[in-house]
Amino acid sequence: SLVVDAVRCVEETDEVGSDDVYMIIFRGDPKPPFSSNLGVHGPGNFWSNLDSGDLRESKLLRFFDPDAIPIAQYFSDAVYVIMLVEEDASKDISGSEVIGAWKTVCGAAWKGALLGLRLPGNWPPSAAQLSTAASNVGHAMLGLASIYMEFPKGDDDVIGKPQQIVISPGKTPTHHFKGDGGYYRVRFNII
């Protein structure tokens, strides 16, 4: 499983009060038929009431905190794209209809980017081509955020741009999410 090892709120967002954050996680398979999935994790005990300087470490809490859970299945060849979001009044990306729309649009962006690569001599896709496909998914996420996280549908805030997470066993990469006045460092791991 792909897990969040730690979340450090370096600086909370410009919102009034503490931050409640959640993640939107896309996983794409680089092999035909280019299947994908998308999930949403947080807010909750682990993800809520974050103030500047706070550190949450899931590996210490994993067995005690139900919100410190794996965020996606891990496959060594899969591509992961993560968006960090600050919740305002309520979680905008929730419910089967909304999450279904995100799955469909992001899956189409992923599949569309890879279908054109199936030409002779251009297979399997290179790391750069997979990164481009991940970037397409990130752009799709931002487009969806402009619909679902803006009035009249919602009011949550994206913290920085969606990022491709490249991880392998024994590595614990830290990614930086900056935006809406906030700055978060998130460390990922595989268990």
Side-chain angles (χ1 to χ4, degrees):
S1 294
L2 176 64
V3 300
V4 172
D5 243 5
V7 174
R8 169 149 332 252
C9 175
V10 178
E11 186 173 338
E12 64 188 271
T13 63
D14 293 337
E15 302 295 324
V16 175
S18 302
D19 288 349
D20 297 335
V21 298
Y22 61 96
M23 288 186 168
I24 302 169
I25 303 96
F26 172 87
R27 184 188 71 236
D29 186 348
K31 301 178 301 300
F34 312 119
S35 62
S36 61
N37 199 3
L38 184 134
V40 181
H41 291 281
N45 294 338
F46 180 78
W47 309 92
S48 296
N49 298 315
L50 290 158
D51 295 308
S52 296
D54 283 354
L55 171 66
R56 305 284 168 85
E57 292 187 278
S58 66
K59 66 181 173 184
L60 299 177
L61 301 171
R62 190 171 294 128
F63 300 106
F64 306 106
D65 186 344
D67 292 313
I69 58 173
I71 60 170
Q73 285 184 307
Y74 175 74
F75 299 98
S76 61
D77 60 347
V79 173
Y80 298 89
V81 180
I82 309 287
M83 176 186 270
L84 186 64
V85 179
E86 196 275 326
E87 178 190 69
D88 284 338
S90 63
K91 185 162 73 172
D92 295 344
I93 311 308
S94 64
S96 59
E97 185 177 317
V98 172
I99 293 173
W102 279 65
K103 283 182 181 183
T104 299
V105 171
C106 291
W110 173 253
K111 191 174 281 194
L114 292 177
L115 279 173
L117 299 176
R118 297 262 350 240
L119 302 172
N122 199 26
W123 197 258
S126 68
Q129 290 167 324
L130 291 176
S131 182
T132 298
S135 180
N136 287 357
V137 170
H139 290 299
M141 287 177 149
L142 290 173
L144 288 162
S146 72
I147 296 168
Y148 289 95
M149 295 184 203
E150 298 292 334
F151 182 80
K153 291 190 177 205
D155 59 0
D156 290 350
D157 301 301
V158 176
I159 302 175
K161 295 180 180 178
Q163 297 184 30
Q164 179 182 359
I165 305 302
V166 179
I167 188 165
S168 57
K171 308 281 185 187
T172 54
T174 298
H175 288 265
H176 301 258
F177 295 86
K178 292 181 181 181
D180 195 43
Y183 173 26
Y184 282 80
R185 291 194 308 248
V186 181
R187 189 174 66 217
F188 297 89
N189 205 343
I190 302 167
I191 59 168

